[in-house]
Amino acid sequence: MNIEFFKKSEWFKPISMALYLLVFPAIGQQGPSAPTPKLSYAFSVNVEVAKPVEQGQVDGGQRRFIEITGGTVYGPLLQGEVMHGGGDWQTVFSGGFTDILARYFLKLEDGTVVEVTNPGVRVASEKVITQLSKGEVVDPSKYYFRTTPTFKVTGDKYNWMTRHVFVARGIRNPKDVIIDYYMVE
């Protein structure tokens, strides 16, 4: 028998769909297949920053570098300091979109050093972007500032940082940035 004959038959379509749904049942479901992940507040950093160094127009956006000069780490899971010497590389595009990549180190109370790589985005109106660029105080509800950090750390005490996914929310102030880190459970 010719299999193409069956594939073209009208009665074959409902049977093939039923078999497909038996083999791949999640395809027929409406909504998520698993419970919504929970976020747990882990810690915050208050990052002190220098004035931006403007590079100019690169790849369609205004490129800048912002040196990280220090800061503090606080919260239920970590305490310590933000070490001098990190940086935030940003590209600001027209339309209010900013691509962010920050890299810095935390030195915890017990001396453990944690490397942070923190890519993210900030989205705001052109007016808000201008206010932030001028160093004005802007209500954080006026812009979207989210990141997806990863951590590198030695030893077992803090390996939970490398074994979980984190998301963070940032607030840009004139002389510092506050970032609240949440662990995805």
Side-chain angles (χ1 to χ4, degrees), residues 11-69:
W11 62 269
F12 183 77
K13 291 178 185 173
I15 292 172
S16 63
M17 181 55 81
L19 288 172
Y20 186 78
L21 291 175
L22 283 173
V23 175
F24 301 104
I27 301 297
Q29 294 179 355
Q30 296 295 318
S33 299
T36 302
K38 177 183 161 196
L39 298 180
S40 296
Y41 171 64
F43 64 96
S44 295
V45 295
N46 184 317
V47 181
E48 299 163 2
V49 293
K51 291 186 183 230
V53 175
E54 300 291 340
Q55 183 180 2
Q57 288 290 318
V58 176
D59 296 329
Q62 179 68 23
R63 190 86 168 129
R64 67 171 59 141
F65 171 76
I66 303 167
E67 181 185 8
I68 293 173
T69 59

Side-chain angles (χ1 to χ4, degrees), residues 82-103:
V82 178
M83 298 176 70
H84 178 91
D88 184 0
W89 291 261
Q90 298 181 357
T91 306
V92 182
F93 296 95
S94 63
F97 176 79
T98 303
D99 182 47
I100 297 167
L101 176 59
R103 294 192 64 166

Side-chain angles (χ1 to χ4, degrees), residues 120-132:
V121 299
R122 187 174 62 214
V123 182
S125 68
E126 293 285 345
K127 177 183 174 187
V128 169
I129 293 292
T130 301
Q131 290 174 304
L132 290 171

